[in-house]
Amino acid sequence: MNGSQLNGLPDDAEQLRPYLSALRSRALQSGELSESEGFSHGFLLRFLRARDFDLDLSLKLLLNYQRWRRESPDISTSMCPSSVLGLLNNSYHAILPRRDHAGSRVLIYRIGQWIPKDWSAIQVFKVSLMTSEIISREVETQRWGLKVIFDLQGWTLGHALQINPSLARKMSSVLSDSFPLKVRGIHLVNEPMFFRPVFAMIRPFLSDKIKQRVHMHGDDFQESLSDFFSPPVLPPEYGGEGPGIEEVCLDWTTQLLQAENLLQQIAAHPTGDTAESTLLSEEVQNE
């Protein structure tokens, strides 16, 4: 079976067992990890699906993920939605309730709602990481990945000064090769000219594949954005027919707060699974 066919199988399919066993064995043989990591079935599957069951690429992604967590404890070991509630309540971030035509999750980040004097770039990045940890446990998201819309209306010099080369590298690593999610598209809207130097700092750290999936739409974005997303998917503020952006931001904030215990367990033991991993109902999210 090829990677696409394997991706479509349920978690307990017999055909997946050799891949799980091989990845676990190769991870331990790498010398970077130990048996005490306790890799769960679900944890390993995330990396296999993210790389279409290519064992070499899955192992590289797994080692990068573990390495990134070790090198960034200030971010990876502190995932507490209530600690950034003010930012979330400012309608900064949402996951749209409908997937796109390809089955991808669609995320929106509204940069203008981030006030730099109140929230550091590290705190803002934690919001992205918390969302990524949660949706990476959804089987459909493992299979079909995600697409991100960054609304840069309100981008200021204060935002730009928060993004240093070290943080740019960490952010780019998560997008490119350090997190078990398939990034299918990155869409920038309302981007001002003085955002370009920041993107130029991030771009070298992105893989060639991700670079090809970055689309800049400018401030006249509704028509070009509709080439990628159907009207029922997007909020009216982005030319769609779905629920309004304030509503979807509030809904995702509620779900993040409900996941606080799960996120703290992930921060302490990222290689395992918990009963709360089924927190989000795929049936509801795919309506």
Side-chain angles (χ1 to χ4, degrees):
M1 300 181 76
N2 61 33
S4 178
Q5 292 169 321
L6 290 165
N7 255 326
L9 295 176
D11 288 7
D12 58 356
E14 188 67 31
Q15 297 94 322
L16 303 184
R17 292 185 180 278
Y19 293 89
L20 289 162
S21 178
L23 181 57
R24 179 179 286 106
S25 176
R26 291 179 64 173
L28 293 173
Q29 290 171 7
S30 71
E32 293 191 39
L33 309 171
S34 68
E35 192 70 51
S36 63
E37 299 277 357
F39 307 117
S40 71
H41 183 101
F43 175 77
L44 294 173
L45 262 180
R46 291 196 280 278
F47 295 89
L48 288 165
R49 285 193 173 122
R51 293 296 180 263
D52 293 320
F53 286 82
D54 181 306
L55 281 171
D56 290 334
L57 294 179
S58 299
L59 176 63
K60 180 181 178 181
L61 181 62
L62 170 57
L63 295 179
N64 284 346
Y65 172 80
Q66 294 292 79
R67 193 176 300 125
W68 185 92
R69 290 187 61 88
R70 288 196 302 270
E71 293 174 354
S72 307
D74 54 328
I75 302 173
S76 63
T77 62
S78 176
M79 293 191 289
C80 182
S82 60
S83 70
V84 289
L85 186 57
L87 176 62
L88 293 169
N89 281 341
N90 209 29
S91 301
Y92 164 70
H93 172 49
I95 289 192
L96 302 187
R98 295 189 63 145
R99 295 176 182 270
D100 77 346
H101 67 282
S104 299
R105 277 290 203 184
V106 182
L107 288 63
I108 294 182
Y109 293 92
R110 305 170 72 210
I111 301 302
Q113 307 306 111
W114 162 30
I115 302 172
K117 68 180 180 65
D118 294 334
W119 306 99
S120 70
I122 292 291
Q123 289 173 305
V124 171
F125 188 31
K126 284 182 182 180
V127 172
S128 178
L129 184 63
M130 289 187 287
T131 288
S132 297
E133 286 286 6
I134 291 173
I135 65 174
S136 72
R137 283 155 171 74
E138 301 171 342
V139 173
E140 290 303 297
T141 304
Q142 292 169 19
R143 290 171 175 154
W144 309 118
L146 60 88
K147 294 171 184 171
V148 188
I149 298 171
F150 289 102
D151 185 346
L152 293 158
Q153 185 172 30
W155 177 268
T156 67
L157 180 61
H159 293 102
L161 292 174
Q162 290 260 2
I163 312 296
N164 57 46
S166 174
L167 183 60
R169 181 181 63 81
K170 291 177 181 180
M171 293 167 60
S172 303
S173 293
V174 170
L175 285 172
S176 292
D177 60 3
S178 297
F179 207 90
L181 283 170
K182 300 173 181 177
V183 179
R184 299 300 198 189
I186 298 173
H187 298 266
L188 308 179
V189 302
N190 291 317
E191 69 275 15
M193 284 300 296
F194 58 92
F195 171 74
R196 300 298 174 107
V198 173
F199 184 70
M201 183 166 46
I202 295 172
R203 196 174 190 278
F205 300 111
L206 299 175
S207 67
D208 289 340
K209 183 181 290 186
I210 295 297
K211 288 175 186 175
Q212 294 169 7
R213 294 176 179 175
V214 175
H215 307 275
M216 294 192 175
H217 298 269
D219 56 7
D220 187 17
F221 59 82
Q222 293 197 0
E223 184 175 347
S224 61
L225 207 57
S226 69
D227 292 338
F228 297 90
F229 304 98
S230 62
V233 174
L234 295 175
E237 295 86 348
Y238 296 90
E241 301 169 354
I245 189 65
E246 298 287 338
E247 178 183 342
V248 292
C249 286
L250 176 60
D251 181 65
W252 186 246
T253 295
T254 299
Q255 295 194 54
L256 274 178
L257 290 171
Q258 290 173 346
E260 184 141 334
N261 288 338
L262 168 62
L263 286 163
Q264 290 176 353
Q265 290 177 50
I266 293 169
H269 186 52
T271 63
D273 281 332
T274 74
E276 290 182 82
S277 293
T278 55
L279 167 78
L280 299 178
S281 167
E282 284 289 300
E283 289 75 16
V284 172
Q285 298 298 335
N286 284 326
E287 286 181 357

